[in-house]
């Protein structure tokens, strides 16, 4: 399989996890509790992938890597938290504030940008190597259920139907696939930009979107799950290199 087919197949699996996140919201109460484990495990795995795989690989690709990482971080910040009037991960509980449907739209736009870069990261990863692609895919996959859950939860709270809540989660999956296409349409040369920019966006999602949700939990249990996520990353990387 060439890198494009591989990226597309894995991005499709990640996109399905977005939809599963939406289904959890719509089907109500099912698996709600396990979501926070995905958030904690995902942020640990993503931080490991960002600092130990994506940053070093980006540095070998281009001298502008540090700047591009910052650009990727700021792009997601602008769309998720500057233009979007209300967005945080997990279950939406601020019902009063969210009755305005415009809040739901701006949150969706923000998350479409973020999930586009989820796809860019997977596409760029497989251009570097199969091992890097696989690690980035797992980092993306682990937070895809929370992605889908979050947007569907916002949709329901801003007065939308179950059907449009599911449509919102599905559009996040579609945006991930568009991210893969974007990398390969521009061509193999795009990797030296695509990888560092998506490194910054992945860092944003892990450290700025997911970590605060982990810290909101009382006790040390969730903090340990973050370390378990990093441990899992190290384990998979060891196996991928054999
Ligand atoms: Zn809220
Ligand atoms: Zn994501």
């Amino acid at each position: 399989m060439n890198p494009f087919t591989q990226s597309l197949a894995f991005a499709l699996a990640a996109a399905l996890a977005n939809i599963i996140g939406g289904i959890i919201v719509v089907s109500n109460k099912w698996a709600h509790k396990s979501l926070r484990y995905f958030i904690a495990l995902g942020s640990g795995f993503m931080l490991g992938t960002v600092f130990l795989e994506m940053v070093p690989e980006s540095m070998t690709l281009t001298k502008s890597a540090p700047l591009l990482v910052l650009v990727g971080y700021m792009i997601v910040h602008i769309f998720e938290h500057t233009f979007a009037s209300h967005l945080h991960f997990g279950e939406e509980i601020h019902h009063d504030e969210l009755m305005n449907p415009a809040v739901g739209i701006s949150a969706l736009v923000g998350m479409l940008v973020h999930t586009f870069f989820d796809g860019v990261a997977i596409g760029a990863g497989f251009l570097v190597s199969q091992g890097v692609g696989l690690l980035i895919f797992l980092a993306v996959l682990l937070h895809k259920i929370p992605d889908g859950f979050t947007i569907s939860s916002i949709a329901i709270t801003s007065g939308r139907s179950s059907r449009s809540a599911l449509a919102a989660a599905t559009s996040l999956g579609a945006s991930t696939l568009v991210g893969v296409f974007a990398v390969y349409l521009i061509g193999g040369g795009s990797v030296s930009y695509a990888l560092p920019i998506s490194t910054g966006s992945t860092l944003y999602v892990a450290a700025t979107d997911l970590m605060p949700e982990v810290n909101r939990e009382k006790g040390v249990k969730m903090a340990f799950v973050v370390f378990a996520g990093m441990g899992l990353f190290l384990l998979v990387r060891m196996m991928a290199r054999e």
Side-chain angles (χ1 to χ4, degrees):
M1 268 207 280
N2 64 32
F4 175 63
T5 328
Q6 275 180 326
S7 303
L8 210 57
F10 283 109
L12 199 63
L16 287 177
N18 276 156
I19 300 173
I20 291 171
I23 292 172
I24 291 174
V25 172
V26 172
S27 66
N28 213 9
K29 295 295 171 206
W30 176 71
H32 273 218
K33 283 238 164 82
S34 60
L35 188 77
R36 53 210 186 115
Y37 293 102
F38 277 107
I39 289 179
L41 206 64
S43 59
F45 199 107
M46 286 169 92
L47 287 172
T49 308
V50 164
F51 287 111
L52 301 180
E53 285 293 328
M54 296 176 86
V55 167
E57 288 293 346
S58 297
M59 300 291 277
T60 65
L61 289 171
T62 168
K63 277 204 169 103
S64 323
L67 178 67
L68 293 170
V69 171
L70 182 64
V71 166
Y73 188 96
M74 293 317 289
I75 290 175
V76 181
H77 178 69
I78 286 171
F79 283 98
E80 279 196 356
H81 291 110
T82 308
F83 292 151
S85 45
H86 187 107
L87 175 62
H88 59 84
F89 272 63
E91 186 159 21
E92 190 46 71
I93 42 166
H94 309 122
H95 295 266
D96 302 342
E97 196 180 344
L98 275 165
M99 285 320 271
N100 182 359
V103 171
I105 301 286
S106 66
L108 178 63
V109 171
M111 289 213 66
L112 284 172
V113 172
H114 144 189
T115 48
F116 170 80
F117 283 107
D118 285 343
V120 171
I122 293 174
F126 278 102
L127 276 177
V128 172
S129 74
Q130 205 165 16
V132 172
L134 210 60
L135 283 166
I136 295 178
F137 158 70
L138 286 171
V140 168
L141 180 71
L142 279 171
H143 85 280
K144 274 302 201 187
I145 291 178
D147 276 357
F149 183 98
T150 298
I151 203 61
S152 297
S153 181
I154 290 173
I156 293 286
T157 317
S158 54
R160 311 248 164 199
S161 64
S162 295
R163 177 181 282 210
S164 48
L166 273 183
T170 307
S171 69
L172 296 189
S175 169
T176 308
L177 297 178
V178 172
V180 171
F181 277 110
V183 170
Y184 289 90
L185 278 178
I186 299 170
S190 69
V191 67
S192 54
Y193 298 95
L195 190 70
I197 291 175
S198 61
T199 300
S201 65
T202 307
L203 177 63
Y204 189 90
V205 173
T208 311
D209 282 335
L210 302 180
M211 276 303 235
E213 299 305 318
V214 174
N215 294 336
R216 211 190 293 268
E217 299 271 339
K218 291 199 174 71
V220 292
K221 198 168 90 183
M222 278 300 134
F224 278 118
V225 180
V226 174
F227 286 105
M230 281 179 201
L232 185 65
F233 159 77
L234 292 171
L235 194 74
V236 174
R237 185 166 75 151
M238 241 165 53
M239 293 192 302
R241 287 195 169 168
E242 267 172 20

